[in-house]
Amino acid sequence: MSLLSSYYLPGLAVEDRAIDVPLDWRGTSPAQLAGAQGAPSSPLAEASAAEKCDPAFEGRSLRLFYRVLCAPENVGRDLPYLVFLQGGPGGAGPRLTSPTSDGWVAEAVRHFRVILPDQRGTGRSSRVDGVTVAHEGDAVAQARFLKRFLADSIVRDFEYLRLTELGGARWVTLGQSYGGFLTLTYLSTFPGAAAASFTCGGIPHVPASADEVYAHTFPRMVAKTSLLYERYPDDERRLALLAERVAAGDVRLPDGSPLLLRRLQSLGQGLGMKPGHERLHNLLDLAFTAGDGSAEAALAAAGGRAEKIELSPAFLAGAWLATNVAANPLYWVLQELIYADGELEAPISWAAERAWRERPEFDPAARPLMLTGEACFPWMFEEMPELRPFAGAMERLMADTSFGRLYDLEALLANETPLQAAVYFDDLYVDSGLQLDTLGRVGASHAWVTSEFEHDGLHGEHVFKHLLNEARDRGDLAGVL
């Protein structure tokens, strides 16, 4: 293994490692590159290996960075591996301070050596941002480049890591959110490579459709916004007045970018997490500087003129932090492309924007003001400095219809890898009904449906432990633990 460094965090022994992987996997396969005879394969994997690599990417590689965690008392023990498939897309692996800083880790390191990869283009894995994408050339070249950062490439990186760094040992996968999408792509492409799989709030609907996803998401955002107003009636008035002030213009966030109405509405993107409603309430509680902080006092201090209301620096800083994309620009670039599976009948063409326009209750002039969730919109690539460099490539990607294959329905139906899925009944981002429909067509799958948790339930201490116990009770981890 290519060891970069080793050290201890409180309660964790850590190794930082990295390998090189091809930028474009077409024309080869992890098994071919690793020289691994008899490695798992599938018609989907073989079809990709038979394609031609883009000549512009021939010989180019990316660095894949990953961390290996172990409980200090388990150092030197021959434990099985568990690889974490991070949510996102475009998000780096978690940066921990202790086993309890991400709730599932404390239980996982009791039984496994845990691998935390930074998926290609994120964290320390040849990170992609506005500066790096500009080096790829014009918008057409940039779009071709960005297509290499989707699930079909990510799972091949991980399979190559397993074959070369773990000697081909079967591992256990744990997918959070988008990590569940990666799980089904992995099971489709490399059947038998995983001894068992866990997913949390992340089973995609197969066949994939971005339009279908947002048809479910926007009505749930109405319910989530209404719940905010039900719990905190003052926030309805605050947001209405904030919308008036923002509509008047000349409101700037700390980085100088404008706070416009659509960005104000995007403050709802955390309402699918716990405690998202409380976090947003606490931010809105600091919106105004005048009087007692209420909307009425702020308007009175401004002589009844919304355009004269002063917004607090604390609110503007908090709004910027809540909507800023500097840490993970790929998340927004790839947001809708994760639903592109193979040759599309029609381009995705800004699916969330279409859904938004079809729902008059989300008009910024409507009251009560409805908030939007985690979705990418064209305005983001105009207003946000970190996303402007991607604007030209995005227009081409949204018009594209040719992508890598993600799912093989026959392979999933024949799947023999035990799959334990936590399905959150009220999940804002991944519809529970669509998840269950897919799971009904995946062999060896089991669903735990619960309304106790929101989309981020894995980050507490209970969800992974529950799934692990279910798998052990069924015998699904026999030979692993």
PDB file of all heavy atoms in Angstrom, residues 391-426:
ATOM      1  N   ALA A 391     -20.231  27.273 -15.675  1.00  0.00           N
ATOM      2  CA  ALA A 391     -21.488  27.608 -16.349  1.00  0.00           C
ATOM      3  C   ALA A 391     -21.546  27.062 -17.778  1.00  0.00           C
ATOM      4  O   ALA A 391     -22.549  26.461 -18.184  1.00  0.00           O
ATOM      5  CB  ALA A 391     -21.705  29.124 -16.337  1.00  0.00           C
ATOM      6  N   GLY A 392     -20.503  27.273 -18.545  1.00  0.00           N
ATOM      7  CA  GLY A 392     -20.526  26.815 -19.936  1.00  0.00           C
ATOM      8  C   GLY A 392     -20.608  25.303 -20.030  1.00  0.00           C
ATOM      9  O   GLY A 392     -21.377  24.754 -20.836  1.00  0.00           O
ATOM     10  N   ALA A 393     -19.834  24.602 -19.210  1.00  0.00           N
ATOM     11  CA  ALA A 393     -19.875  23.137 -19.210  1.00  0.00           C
ATOM     12  C   ALA A 393     -21.242  22.631 -18.787  1.00  0.00           C
ATOM     13  O   ALA A 393     -21.743  21.630 -19.321  1.00  0.00           O
ATOM     14  CB  ALA A 393     -18.794  22.590 -18.285  1.00  0.00           C
ATOM     15  N   MET A 394     -21.868  23.313 -17.839  1.00  0.00           N
ATOM     16  CA  MET A 394     -23.185  22.865 -17.370  1.00  0.00           C
ATOM     17  C   MET A 394     -24.226  22.941 -18.469  1.00  0.00           C
ATOM     18  O   MET A 394     -25.089  22.053 -18.586  1.00  0.00           O
ATOM     19  CB  MET A 394     -23.627  23.704 -16.168  1.00  0.00           C
ATOM     20  CG  MET A 394     -22.908  23.364 -14.874  1.00  0.00           C
ATOM     21  SD  MET A 394     -23.158  21.639 -14.357  1.00  0.00           S
ATOM     22  CE  MET A 394     -24.906  21.644 -13.974  1.00  0.00           C
ATOM     23  N   GLU A 395     -24.186  23.973 -19.279  1.00  0.00           N
ATOM     24  CA  GLU A 395     -25.149  24.078 -20.369  1.00  0.00           C
ATOM     25  C   GLU A 395     -25.009  22.889 -21.322  1.00  0.00           C
ATOM     26  O   GLU A 395     -26.013  22.343 -21.808  1.00  0.00           O
ATOM     27  CB  GLU A 395     -24.950  25.397 -21.122  1.00  0.00           C
ATOM     28  CG  GLU A 395     -25.377  26.627 -20.327  1.00  0.00           C
ATOM     29  CD  GLU A 395     -26.844  26.582 -19.915  1.00  0.00           C
ATOM     30  OE1 GLU A 395     -27.680  26.066 -20.693  1.00  0.00           O
ATOM     31  OE2 GLU A 395     -27.155  27.049 -18.804  1.00  0.00           O
ATOM     32  N   ARG A 396     -23.793  22.453 -21.548  1.00  0.00           N
ATOM     33  CA  ARG A 396     -23.577  21.307 -22.434  1.00  0.00           C
ATOM     34  C   ARG A 396     -23.955  19.986 -21.757  1.00  0.00           C
ATOM     35  O   ARG A 396     -24.532  19.095 -22.385  1.00  0.00           O
ATOM     36  CB  ARG A 396     -22.121  21.298 -22.896  1.00  0.00           C
ATOM     37  CG  ARG A 396     -21.887  22.345 -23.978  1.00  0.00           C
ATOM     38  CD  ARG A 396     -20.466  22.831 -24.058  1.00  0.00           C
ATOM     39  NE  ARG A 396     -20.355  23.829 -25.133  1.00  0.00           N
ATOM     40  CZ  ARG A 396     -20.713  25.110 -24.996  1.00  0.00           C
ATOM     41  NH1 ARG A 396     -21.215  25.559 -23.853  1.00  0.00           N
ATOM     42  NH2 ARG A 396     -20.588  25.957 -26.007  1.00  0.00           N
ATOM     43  N   LEU A 397     -23.650  19.859 -20.474  1.00  0.00           N
ATOM     44  CA  LEU A 397     -24.013  18.638 -19.767  1.00  0.00           C
ATOM     45  C   LEU A 397     -25.523  18.479 -19.663  1.00  0.00           C
ATOM     46  O   LEU A 397     -26.052  17.369 -19.777  1.00  0.00           O
ATOM     47  CB  LEU A 397     -23.385  18.650 -18.369  1.00  0.00           C
ATOM     48  CG  LEU A 397     -21.872  18.444 -18.337  1.00  0.00           C
ATOM     49  CD1 LEU A 397     -21.321  18.789 -16.964  1.00  0.00           C
ATOM     50  CD2 LEU A 397     -21.511  17.019 -18.718  1.00  0.00           C
ATOM     51  N   MET A 398     -26.220  19.591 -19.460  1.00  0.00           N
ATOM     52  CA  MET A 398     -27.671  19.521 -19.340  1.00  0.00           C
ATOM     53  C   MET A 398     -28.340  19.213 -20.683  1.00  0.00           C
ATOM     54  O   MET A 398     -29.507  18.816 -20.720  1.00  0.00           O
ATOM     55  CB  MET A 398     -28.216  20.835 -18.781  1.00  0.00           C
ATOM     56  CG  MET A 398     -27.951  20.997 -17.295  1.00  0.00           C
ATOM     57  SD  MET A 398     -28.785  19.707 -16.343  1.00  0.00           S
ATOM     58  CE  MET A 398     -28.051  19.956 -14.723  1.00  0.00           C
ATOM     59  N   ALA A 399     -27.610  19.376 -21.777  1.00  0.00           N
ATOM     60  CA  ALA A 399     -28.146  19.041 -23.099  1.00  0.00           C
ATOM     61  C   ALA A 399     -27.648  17.688 -23.593  1.00  0.00           C
ATOM     62  O   ALA A 399     -28.047  17.237 -24.670  1.00  0.00           O
ATOM     63  CB  ALA A 399     -27.762  20.128 -24.110  1.00  0.00           C
ATOM     64  N   ASP A 400     -26.811  17.019 -22.804  1.00  0.00           N
ATOM     65  CA  ASP A 400     -26.193  15.755 -23.218  1.00  0.00           C
ATOM     66  C   ASP A 400     -27.162  14.596 -22.993  1.00  0.00           C
ATOM     67  O   ASP A 400     -28.019  14.640 -22.103  1.00  0.00           O
ATOM     68  CB  ASP A 400     -24.920  15.534 -22.400  1.00  0.00           C
ATOM     69  CG  ASP A 400     -23.933  14.607 -23.100  1.00  0.00           C
ATOM     70  OD1 ASP A 400     -24.375  13.821 -23.961  1.00  0.00           O
ATOM     71  OD2 ASP A 400     -22.730  14.670 -22.780  1.00  0.00           O
ATOM     72  N   THR A 401     -27.017  13.548 -23.774  1.00  0.00           N
ATOM     73  CA  THR A 401     -27.857  12.355 -23.598  1.00  0.00           C
ATOM     74  C   THR A 401     -27.042  11.075 -23.521  1.00  0.00           C
ATOM     75  O   THR A 401     -27.616   9.990 -23.476  1.00  0.00           O
ATOM     76  CB  THR A 401     -28.872  12.227 -24.754  1.00  0.00           C
ATOM     77  OG1 THR A 401     -28.157  12.181 -25.995  1.00  0.00           O
ATOM     78  CG2 THR A 401     -29.862  13.376 -24.757  1.00  0.00           C
ATOM     79  N   SER A 402     -25.717  11.161 -23.498  1.00  0.00           N
ATOM     80  CA  SER A 402     -24.879   9.972 -23.519  1.00  0.00           C
ATOM     81  C   SER A 402     -24.005   9.910 -22.270  1.00  0.00           C
ATOM     82  O   SER A 402     -23.094  10.734 -22.097  1.00  0.00           O
ATOM     83  CB  SER A 402     -23.999   9.965 -24.780  1.00  0.00           C
ATOM     84  OG  SER A 402     -23.231   8.796 -24.840  1.00  0.00           O
ATOM     85  N   PHE A 403     -24.298   8.936 -21.404  1.00  0.00           N
ATOM     86  CA  PHE A 403     -23.574   8.793 -20.146  1.00  0.00           C
ATOM     87  C   PHE A 403     -23.226   7.322 -19.923  1.00  0.00           C
ATOM     88  O   PHE A 403     -23.734   6.429 -20.604  1.00  0.00           O
ATOM     89  CB  PHE A 403     -24.412   9.316 -18.981  1.00  0.00           C
ATOM     90  CG  PHE A 403     -24.628  10.800 -19.013  1.00  0.00           C
ATOM     91  CD1 PHE A 403     -25.671  11.352 -19.751  1.00  0.00           C
ATOM     92  CD2 PHE A 403     -23.787  11.649 -18.330  1.00  0.00           C
ATOM     93  CE1 PHE A 403     -25.871  12.724 -19.794  1.00  0.00           C
ATOM     94  CE2 PHE A 403     -23.967  13.025 -18.374  1.00  0.00           C
ATOM     95  CZ  PHE A 403     -25.014  13.565 -19.103  1.00  0.00           C
ATOM     96  N   GLY A 404     -22.385   7.071 -18.944  1.00  0.00           N
ATOM     97  CA  GLY A 404     -22.024   5.708 -18.607  1.00  0.00           C
ATOM     98  C   GLY A 404     -23.196   4.957 -17.981  1.00  0.00           C
ATOM     99  O   GLY A 404     -24.053   5.550 -17.330  1.00  0.00           O
ATOM    100  N   ARG A 405     -23.204   3.630 -18.193  1.00  0.00           N
ATOM    101  CA  ARG A 405     -24.243   2.793 -17.597  1.00  0.00           C
ATOM    102  C   ARG A 405     -23.994   2.630 -16.108  1.00  0.00           C
ATOM    103  O   ARG A 405     -22.884   2.385 -15.662  1.00  0.00           O
ATOM    104  CB  ARG A 405     -24.248   1.419 -18.259  1.00  0.00           C
ATOM    105  CG  ARG A 405     -24.873   1.362 -19.639  1.00  0.00           C
ATOM    106  CD  ARG A 405     -26.390   1.394 -19.592  1.00  0.00           C
ATOM    107  NE  ARG A 405     -26.930   0.432 -18.624  1.00  0.00           N
ATOM    108  CZ  ARG A 405     -27.023  -0.872 -18.818  1.00  0.00           C
ATOM    109  NH1 ARG A 405     -26.585  -1.396 -19.954  1.00  0.00           N
ATOM    110  NH2 ARG A 405     -27.545  -1.650 -17.899  1.00  0.00           N
ATOM    111  N   LEU A 406     -25.070   2.726 -15.324  1.00  0.00           N
ATOM    112  CA  LEU A 406     -24.970   2.636 -13.875  1.00  0.00           C
ATOM    113  C   LEU A 406     -25.554   1.347 -13.319  1.00  0.00           C
ATOM    114  O   LEU A 406     -24.966   0.724 -12.430  1.00  0.00           O
ATOM    115  CB  LEU A 406     -25.677   3.823 -13.226  1.00  0.00           C
ATOM    116  CG  LEU A 406     -25.200   5.226 -13.636  1.00  0.00           C
ATOM    117  CD1 LEU A 406     -25.996   6.282 -12.884  1.00  0.00           C
ATOM    118  CD2 LEU A 406     -23.703   5.381 -13.396  1.00  0.00           C
ATOM    119  N   TYR A 407     -26.721   0.956 -13.809  1.00  0.00           N
ATOM    120  CA  TYR A 407     -27.453  -0.137 -13.191  1.00  0.00           C
ATOM    121  C   TYR A 407     -27.770  -1.221 -14.221  1.00  0.00           C
ATOM    122  O   TYR A 407     -28.110  -0.927 -15.361  1.00  0.00           O
ATOM    123  CB  TYR A 407     -28.754   0.366 -12.566  1.00  0.00           C
ATOM    124  CG  TYR A 407     -28.573   1.578 -11.683  1.00  0.00           C
ATOM    125  CD1 TYR A 407     -29.191   2.791 -11.998  1.00  0.00           C
ATOM    126  CD2 TYR A 407     -27.772   1.524 -10.552  1.00  0.00           C
ATOM    127  CE1 TYR A 407     -29.020   3.909 -11.193  1.00  0.00           C
ATOM    128  CE2 TYR A 407     -27.588   2.642  -9.751  1.00  0.00           C
ATOM    129  CZ  TYR A 407     -28.216   3.836 -10.079  1.00  0.00           C
ATOM    130  OH  TYR A 407     -28.044   4.940  -9.290  1.00  0.00           O
ATOM    131  N   ASP A 408     -27.667  -2.457 -13.775  1.00  0.00           N
ATOM    132  CA  ASP A 408     -28.041  -3.599 -14.583  1.00  0.00           C
ATOM    133  C   ASP A 408     -29.187  -4.293 -13.859  1.00  0.00           C
ATOM    134  O   ASP A 408     -28.986  -4.913 -12.804  1.00  0.00           O
ATOM    135  CB  ASP A 408     -26.839  -4.535 -14.738  1.00  0.00           C
ATOM    136  CG  ASP A 408     -27.118  -5.720 -15.662  1.00  0.00           C
ATOM    137  OD1 ASP A 408     -28.255  -6.242 -15.631  1.00  0.00           O
ATOM    138  OD2 ASP A 408     -26.205  -6.130 -16.386  1.00  0.00           O
ATOM    139  N   LEU A 409     -30.401  -4.176 -14.397  1.00  0.00           N
ATOM    140  CA  LEU A 409     -31.584  -4.706 -13.709  1.00  0.00           C
ATOM    141  C   LEU A 409     -31.493  -6.210 -13.508  1.00  0.00           C
ATOM    142  O   LEU A 409     -31.903  -6.723 -12.447  1.00  0.00           O
ATOM    143  CB  LEU A 409     -32.842  -4.338 -14.503  1.00  0.00           C
ATOM    144  CG  LEU A 409     -33.163  -2.839 -14.593  1.00  0.00           C
ATOM    145  CD1 LEU A 409     -34.352  -2.609 -15.513  1.00  0.00           C
ATOM    146  CD2 LEU A 409     -33.453  -2.282 -13.209  1.00  0.00           C
ATOM    147  N   GLU A 410     -30.962  -6.924 -14.478  1.00  0.00           N
ATOM    148  CA  GLU A 410     -30.838  -8.374 -14.332  1.00  0.00           C
ATOM    149  C   GLU A 410     -29.827  -8.737 -13.249  1.00  0.00           C
ATOM    150  O   GLU A 410     -30.052  -9.661 -12.451  1.00  0.00           O
ATOM    151  CB  GLU A 410     -30.442  -8.999 -15.665  1.00  0.00           C
ATOM    152  CG  GLU A 410     -31.536  -8.921 -16.729  1.00  0.00           C
ATOM    153  CD  GLU A 410     -31.145  -9.656 -17.998  1.00  0.00           C
ATOM    154  OE1 GLU A 410     -30.072 -10.292 -18.013  1.00  0.00           O
ATOM    155  OE2 GLU A 410     -31.921  -9.582 -18.970  1.00  0.00           O
ATOM    156  N   ALA A 411     -28.722  -8.015 -13.213  1.00  0.00           N
ATOM    157  CA  ALA A 411     -27.714  -8.288 -12.186  1.00  0.00           C
ATOM    158  C   ALA A 411     -28.249  -7.980 -10.795  1.00  0.00           C
ATOM    159  O   ALA A 411     -27.976  -8.713  -9.839  1.00  0.00           O
ATOM    160  CB  ALA A 411     -26.452  -7.468 -12.463  1.00  0.00           C
ATOM    161  N   LEU A 412     -29.018  -6.910 -10.674  1.00  0.00           N
ATOM    162  CA  LEU A 412     -29.581  -6.566  -9.368  1.00  0.00           C
ATOM    163  C   LEU A 412     -30.608  -7.592  -8.922  1.00  0.00           C
ATOM    164  O   LEU A 412     -30.665  -7.964  -7.742  1.00  0.00           O
ATOM    165  CB  LEU A 412     -30.203  -5.166  -9.413  1.00  0.00           C
ATOM    166  CG  LEU A 412     -29.202  -4.013  -9.565  1.00  0.00           C
ATOM    167  CD1 LEU A 412     -29.940  -2.691  -9.737  1.00  0.00           C
ATOM    168  CD2 LEU A 412     -28.267  -3.939  -8.351  1.00  0.00           C
ATOM    169  N   LEU A 413     -31.416  -8.062  -9.844  1.00  0.00           N
ATOM    170  CA  LEU A 413     -32.408  -9.079  -9.491  1.00  0.00           C
ATOM    171  C   LEU A 413     -31.716 -10.367  -9.051  1.00  0.00           C
ATOM    172  O   LEU A 413     -32.193 -11.056  -8.138  1.00  0.00           O
ATOM    173  CB  LEU A 413     -33.323  -9.353 -10.688  1.00  0.00           C
ATOM    174  CG  LEU A 413     -34.507 -10.287 -10.444  1.00  0.00           C
ATOM    175  CD1 LEU A 413     -35.444  -9.718  -9.385  1.00  0.00           C
ATOM    176  CD2 LEU A 413     -35.266 -10.539 -11.741  1.00  0.00           C
ATOM    177  N   ALA A 414     -30.584 -10.676  -9.656  1.00  0.00           N
ATOM    178  CA  ALA A 414     -29.846 -11.898  -9.315  1.00  0.00           C
ATOM    179  C   ALA A 414     -28.839 -11.677  -8.186  1.00  0.00           C
ATOM    180  O   ALA A 414     -28.102 -12.608  -7.830  1.00  0.00           O
ATOM    181  CB  ALA A 414     -29.117 -12.418 -10.550  1.00  0.00           C
ATOM    182  N   ASN A 415     -28.825 -10.492  -7.611  1.00  0.00           N
ATOM    183  CA  ASN A 415     -27.835 -10.164  -6.585  1.00  0.00           C
ATOM    184  C   ASN A 415     -27.869 -11.159  -5.423  1.00  0.00           C
ATOM    185  O   ASN A 415     -28.943 -11.519  -4.928  1.00  0.00           O
ATOM    186  CB  ASN A 415     -28.111  -8.752  -6.047  1.00  0.00           C
ATOM    187  CG  ASN A 415     -27.228  -8.403  -4.865  1.00  0.00           C
ATOM    188  OD1 ASN A 415     -26.007  -8.362  -4.997  1.00  0.00           O
ATOM    189  ND2 ASN A 415     -27.832  -8.170  -3.712  1.00  0.00           N
ATOM    190  N   GLU A 416     -26.691 -11.569  -4.982  1.00  0.00           N
ATOM    191  CA  GLU A 416     -26.583 -12.479  -3.842  1.00  0.00           C
ATOM    192  C   GLU A 416     -25.841 -11.851  -2.660  1.00  0.00           C
ATOM    193  O   GLU A 416     -25.690 -12.488  -1.612  1.00  0.00           O
ATOM    194  CB  GLU A 416     -25.868 -13.763  -4.266  1.00  0.00           C
ATOM    195  CG  GLU A 416     -26.635 -14.564  -5.316  1.00  0.00           C
ATOM    196  CD  GLU A 416     -25.919 -15.835  -5.718  1.00  0.00           C
ATOM    197  OE1 GLU A 416     -24.752 -16.025  -5.279  1.00  0.00           O
ATOM    198  OE2 GLU A 416     -26.504 -16.643  -6.467  1.00  0.00           O
ATOM    199  N   THR A 417     -25.388 -10.611  -2.823  1.00  0.00           N
ATOM    200  CA  THR A 417     -24.730  -9.909  -1.715  1.00  0.00           C
ATOM    201  C   THR A 417     -25.789  -9.394  -0.756  1.00  0.00           C
ATOM    202  O   THR A 417     -26.645  -8.593  -1.151  1.00  0.00           O
ATOM    203  CB  THR A 417     -23.899  -8.723  -2.238  1.00  0.00           C
ATOM    204  OG1 THR A 417     -22.894  -9.209  -3.133  1.00  0.00           O
ATOM    205  CG2 THR A 417     -23.244  -7.974  -1.093  1.00  0.00           C
ATOM    206  N   PRO A 418     -25.791  -9.816   0.511  1.00  0.00           N
ATOM    207  CA  PRO A 418     -26.802  -9.324   1.456  1.00  0.00           C
ATOM    208  C   PRO A 418     -26.772  -7.796   1.545  1.00  0.00           C
ATOM    209  O   PRO A 418     -25.711  -7.207   1.761  1.00  0.00           O
ATOM    210  CB  PRO A 418     -26.393  -9.967   2.780  1.00  0.00           C
ATOM    211  CG  PRO A 418     -25.595 -11.168   2.395  1.00  0.00           C
ATOM    212  CD  PRO A 418     -24.872 -10.785   1.136  1.00  0.00           C
ATOM    213  N   LEU A 419     -27.914  -7.185   1.336  1.00  0.00           N
ATOM    214  CA  LEU A 419     -28.038  -5.725   1.353  1.00  0.00           C
ATOM    215  C   LEU A 419     -29.027  -5.331   2.431  1.00  0.00           C
ATOM    216  O   LEU A 419     -30.202  -5.708   2.382  1.00  0.00           O
ATOM    217  CB  LEU A 419     -28.508  -5.228  -0.023  1.00  0.00           C
ATOM    218  CG  LEU A 419     -28.920  -3.756  -0.132  1.00  0.00           C
ATOM    219  CD1 LEU A 419     -27.740  -2.844   0.193  1.00  0.00           C
ATOM    220  CD2 LEU A 419     -29.465  -3.455  -1.519  1.00  0.00           C
ATOM    221  N   GLN A 420     -28.550  -4.592   3.419  1.00  0.00           N
ATOM    222  CA  GLN A 420     -29.399  -4.100   4.498  1.00  0.00           C
ATOM    223  C   GLN A 420     -29.595  -2.595   4.269  1.00  0.00           C
ATOM    224  O   GLN A 420     -28.620  -1.844   4.261  1.00  0.00           O
ATOM    225  CB  GLN A 420     -28.747  -4.320   5.874  1.00  0.00           C
ATOM    226  CG  GLN A 420     -27.933  -5.597   6.007  1.00  0.00           C
ATOM    227  CD  GLN A 420     -28.784  -6.836   6.073  1.00  0.00           C
ATOM    228  OE1 GLN A 420     -29.903  -6.791   6.580  1.00  0.00           O
ATOM    229  NE2 GLN A 420     -28.257  -7.949   5.578  1.00  0.00           N
ATOM    230  N   ALA A 421     -30.831  -2.148   4.096  1.00  0.00           N
ATOM    231  CA  ALA A 421     -31.110  -0.751   3.749  1.00  0.00           C
ATOM    232  C   ALA A 421     -31.960  -0.087   4.821  1.00  0.00           C
ATOM    233  O   ALA A 421     -33.042  -0.580   5.151  1.00  0.00           O
ATOM    234  CB  ALA A 421     -31.817  -0.668   2.399  1.00  0.00           C
ATOM    235  N   ALA A 422     -31.462   1.020   5.349  1.00  0.00           N
ATOM    236  CA  ALA A 422     -32.278   1.875   6.201  1.00  0.00           C
ATOM    237  C   ALA A 422     -33.043   2.831   5.299  1.00  0.00           C
ATOM    238  O   ALA A 422     -32.441   3.611   4.555  1.00  0.00           O
ATOM    239  CB  ALA A 422     -31.414   2.654   7.186  1.00  0.00           C
ATOM    240  N   VAL A 423     -34.371   2.762   5.356  1.00  0.00           N
ATOM    241  CA  VAL A 423     -35.233   3.622   4.545  1.00  0.00           C
ATOM    242  C   VAL A 423     -35.980   4.537   5.499  1.00  0.00           C
ATOM    243  O   VAL A 423     -36.773   4.078   6.329  1.00  0.00           O
ATOM    244  CB  VAL A 423     -36.224   2.790   3.702  1.00  0.00           C
ATOM    245  CG1 VAL A 423     -37.165   3.705   2.928  1.00  0.00           C
ATOM    246  CG2 VAL A 423     -35.471   1.870   2.749  1.00  0.00           C
ATOM    247  N   TYR A 424     -35.722   5.830   5.413  1.00  0.00           N
ATOM    248  CA  TYR A 424     -36.368   6.803   6.297  1.00  0.00           C
ATOM    249  C   TYR A 424     -37.705   7.197   5.686  1.00  0.00           C
ATOM    250  O   TYR A 424     -37.752   7.764   4.591  1.00  0.00           O
ATOM    251  CB  TYR A 424     -35.469   8.022   6.497  1.00  0.00           C
ATOM    252  CG  TYR A 424     -34.064   7.661   6.940  1.00  0.00           C
ATOM    253  CD1 TYR A 424     -32.953   8.120   6.242  1.00  0.00           C
ATOM    254  CD2 TYR A 424     -33.848   6.845   8.049  1.00  0.00           C
ATOM    255  CE1 TYR A 424     -31.666   7.798   6.630  1.00  0.00           C
ATOM    256  CE2 TYR A 424     -32.558   6.507   8.455  1.00  0.00           C
ATOM    257  CZ  TYR A 424     -31.476   6.987   7.736  1.00  0.00           C
ATOM    258  OH  TYR A 424     -30.201   6.650   8.132  1.00  0.00           O
ATOM    259  N   PHE A 425     -38.754   6.912   6.397  1.00  0.00           N
ATOM    260  CA  PHE A 425     -40.102   7.068   5.848  1.00  0.00           C
ATOM    261  C   PHE A 425     -40.367   8.494   5.378  1.00  0.00           C
ATOM    262  O   PHE A 425     -41.015   8.708   4.351  1.00  0.00           O
ATOM    263  CB  PHE A 425     -41.143   6.647   6.887  1.00  0.00           C
ATOM    264  CG  PHE A 425     -42.552   6.701   6.384  1.00  0.00           C
ATOM    265  CD1 PHE A 425     -43.040   5.719   5.529  1.00  0.00           C
ATOM    266  CD2 PHE A 425     -43.402   7.741   6.736  1.00  0.00           C
ATOM    267  CE1 PHE A 425     -44.340   5.769   5.042  1.00  0.00           C
ATOM    268  CE2 PHE A 425     -44.698   7.805   6.255  1.00  0.00           C
ATOM    269  CZ  PHE A 425     -45.165   6.815   5.411  1.00  0.00           C
ATOM    270  N   ASP A 426     -39.871   9.475   6.115  1.00  0.00           N
ATOM    271  CA  ASP A 426     -40.125  10.881   5.785  1.00  0.00           C
ATOM    272  C   ASP A 426     -38.930  11.537   5.085  1.00  0.00           C
ATOM    273  O   ASP A 426     -38.788  12.759   5.127  1.00  0.00           O
ATOM    274  CB  ASP A 426     -40.469  11.667   7.059  1.00  0.00           C
ATOM    275  CG  ASP A 426     -41.761  11.194   7.689  1.00  0.00           C
ATOM    276  OD1 ASP A 426     -42.738  10.974   6.949  1.00  0.00           O
ATOM    277  OD2 ASP A 426     -41.805  11.028   8.929  1.00  0.00           O
TER     278      ASP A 426
END
